[in-house]
Amino acid sequence: MMGLMASEETRTMTPPTVRSSAAHEAREPGGSATRAWTMRLLVLGIVLSALNLRPAITSLGALLEEVRDGLGMSGSVAGLLTSVPPLCFAVFGVMAPRLARRFGAGAVVCAGMAAIATGLAIRPYAGGTAGFLAASALALMGIAVSNVLMPVIVKHWFPDRVGSMTGLYSMALALGTALAAAVTVPLTDTLGGSWQSGLALWAGLAVAAVLPWLPFVRGRAAAPGAGERGGDGPASAGGATAETPDSDGTEPGRKETSAAPSTGHAREETYAAASTTPAREEAPRLRITRSRTAWALAVFFGLQATAAYITMGWMAQIFRDAGVPAGTAGLLLAVTMVMGVPLAFVIPRLATRLPHQGPIVLALGVCGLAGYAGLYLAPAAGAWAWAVLLGVANCAFPLALTMVGMRARTGPGVAQLSAFAQSTGYLISIPGPLLVGVLYQHSGGWGLPIALMSALMIPQMAVGFLAGRDRTVEDEAGR
């Protein structure tokens, strides 16, 4: 599948605006082999990174009852625990563009995967609730920076295949999410029933994700979307051709400026030097908060994240309280997550072919409302159907990522919009899981929490429809 996607060109609503130095070298005999190897390694790194962006959360959701008992957590504290992911994503995600400018996007993602591995390895044995939360925050910090930089990397390295590559990334993310939900309980039983071992084993997957990014760490260079303050690494050396905005403010991509002529020495540079990061782009002076589309996308991102983290943190417990066995509840959560594997490939490709993504937003919202109604009326009797419907609704996440790439024309614009939408969105999503825990503890049932989830779906559909309009933040925010 990866080979097929690499060979095809998917039409997107956003024209490519940058030719990287790597792409320039691909047109020359000396650079074609390096370019092909670079792209394969980059795709592998994206896939392995995406696999690691949710197991820290869904593995905990599958064992939440055991963790609560082991650490003596109340329902409210457990709600706080399920609110930690969006809090970390909001706080640390906003740092990602600055870190990428300083160290390069590949180096930041590599460090992020190392942070995930370290946090997941130590959190079950940190001792007490405070240590568990601190180690979880370390892992979630790595997830946060990778969340923000993945759309930027896709936009810059695959500008004419945003839909396909976002679909591949989203499929891997959904697969990792579902895998952790499905196998954590059985693996815990195999390892002797210790929830500590069941949670710690996911550190191994994060270690594997570090490896493809190691060649991108060597040499400091500007990251995609880094702008003027990027590093002085090889990406800025000879052979780079970058499309820059015209001085009169015309659309980027209309004029090329060439750096120093390409030399044999530049083409013979090591793989890491040639591919650490593409050529630098002129950073647009966007006042992103002036863009209505940016705000709509941020609120949409926040509300879909609220629904997703409530689902990942609490859905297994809803089924267990309805009399469903723990193993089956984990499988039901896995079904919800695995729905994103095929749909995460289909929805971004469909979205890039539509002038308005609003109809997709509405269809996903209707599925979510139907799933919540089922959880309220017959949680055990129709459990598999509700799991499927909520899995479809959760595919608002790959749709949101795709719209980030489509609502900006340039790589720097995507970086700015991605950081704003994700950081603001995750701030919006913080109270949701916590409030569900409080309502669950004080009401003694799931009626009020499910009503809250249903009510939040209505504004999600409204702002998502607005964010799906065919316009860009550059037009609205100005330079």
Side-chain angles (χ1 to χ4, degrees):
M1 177 177 292
M2 290 167 57
L4 173 63
M5 293 172 61
S7 64
E8 68 175 357
E9 291 189 359
T10 302
R11 181 179 68 86
T12 69
M13 300 301 298
T14 309
T17 60
V18 176
R19 293 188 186 92
S20 68
S21 59
H24 179 74
E25 289 175 2
R27 295 194 298 267
E28 302 186 20
S32 59
T34 298
R35 167 71 171 173
W37 197 77
T38 301
M39 301 309 287
R40 291 191 189 101
L41 192 63
L42 189 63
V43 170
L44 178 63
I46 290 172
V47 170
L48 286 176
S49 297
L51 284 172
N52 280 277
L53 294 183
R54 294 300 179 268
I57 303 165
T58 51
S59 61
L60 176 60
L63 293 173
L64 184 58
E65 185 171 314
E66 288 76 10
V67 174
R68 287 178 59 191
D69 292 341
L71 298 178
M73 289 184 185
S74 65
S76 298
V77 175
L80 175 63
L81 180 61
T82 56
S83 292
V84 170
L87 173 62
C88 289
F89 294 167
V91 172
F92 298 116
V94 74
M95 299 165 54
R98 180 172 296 183
L99 291 172
R101 282 195 296 267
R102 176 65 178 85
F103 301 105
V108 175
V109 173
C110 183
M113 294 299 111
I116 295 171
T118 303
L120 293 185
I122 66 176
R123 77 170 177 176
Y125 310 103
T129 301
F132 190 92
L133 288 171
S136 295
L138 175 61
L140 292 166
M141 177 178 65
I143 296 173
V145 295
S146 301
N147 268 340
V148 172
L149 292 179
M150 282 297 144
V152 180
I153 291 172
V154 167
K155 173 78 171 182
H156 197 94
W157 286 94
F158 307 95
D160 55 348
R161 294 192 292 276
V162 171
S164 293
M165 290 305 302
T166 301
L168 177 63
Y169 157 70
S170 300
M171 285 173 62
L173 188 150
L175 181 60
T177 306
L179 187 66
V183 306
T184 297
V185 172
L187 287 176
T188 300
D189 293 338
T190 301
L191 295 172
S194 169
W195 62 265
Q196 289 95 337
S197 300
L199 293 181
L201 63 89
W202 294 102
L205 183 62
V207 171
V210 172
L211 303 179
W213 295 104
L214 290 176
F216 293 87
V217 176
R218 293 177 56 193
R220 174 184 152 208
E228 294 175 341
R229 290 181 294 166
D232 53 357
S236 61
T241 60
E243 296 179 359
T244 58
D246 291 342
S247 59
D248 61 359
T250 56
E251 179 179 338
R254 302 298 185 193
K255 181 173 67 178
E256 288 188 341
T257 59
S258 298
S262 178
T263 65
H265 173 73
R267 290 196 301 270
E268 292 169 4
E269 287 181 322
T270 62
Y271 156 73
S275 62
T276 299
T277 313
R280 290 176 291 177
E281 300 176 59
E282 186 75 16
R285 302 284 195 266
L286 293 180
R287 297 184 179 181
I288 199 74
T289 55
R290 290 188 175 184
S291 169
R292 294 182 180 180
T293 297
W295 277 109
L297 190 54
V299 176
F300 175 66
F301 200 99
L303 292 175
Q304 68 81 28
T306 299
Y309 289 110
I310 291 173
T311 298
M312 286 187 280
W314 289 107
M315 196 178 82
Q317 190 66 50
I318 294 174
F319 287 128
R320 292 178 71 168
D321 287 351
V324 177
T328 304
L331 287 175
L332 287 165
L333 178 58
V335 167
T336 299
M337 299 298 109
V338 83
M339 289 301 299
V341 175
L343 291 179
F345 180 67
V346 173
I347 288 176
R349 290 167 60 86
L350 176 62
T352 58
R353 285 166 168 76
L354 295 177
H356 194 316
Q357 291 74 48
I360 305 177
V361 172
L362 298 181
L364 298 179
V366 169
C367 290
L369 291 173
Y372 293 142
L375 284 181
Y376 180 80
L377 297 172
W384 296 100
W386 318 142
V388 169
L389 286 170
L390 291 174
V392 174
N394 272 354
C395 288
F397 176 71
L399 177 60
L401 290 182
T402 304
M403 288 197 291
V404 166
M406 297 177 68
R407 297 287 86 88
R409 285 196 304 267
T410 65
V414 173
Q416 225 176 321
L417 179 58
S418 179
F420 175 75
Q422 294 199 44
S423 296
T424 305
Y426 284 126
L427 279 174
I428 293 170
S429 71
I430 290 170
L434 175 60
L435 187 55
V436 166
V438 172
L439 290 174
Y440 171 55
Q441 179 175 345
H442 289 280
S443 68
W446 288 104
L448 286 178
I450 292 173
L452 172 66
M453 291 184 268
S454 301
L456 291 176
M457 186 60 69
I458 304 301
Q460 177 181 324
M461 295 165 68
V463 295
F465 190 87
L466 294 176
R469 295 173 298 175
D470 186 13
R471 54 192 64 191
T472 64
V473 294
E474 286 89 349
D475 295 332
E476 295 180 343
R479 295 185 182 277

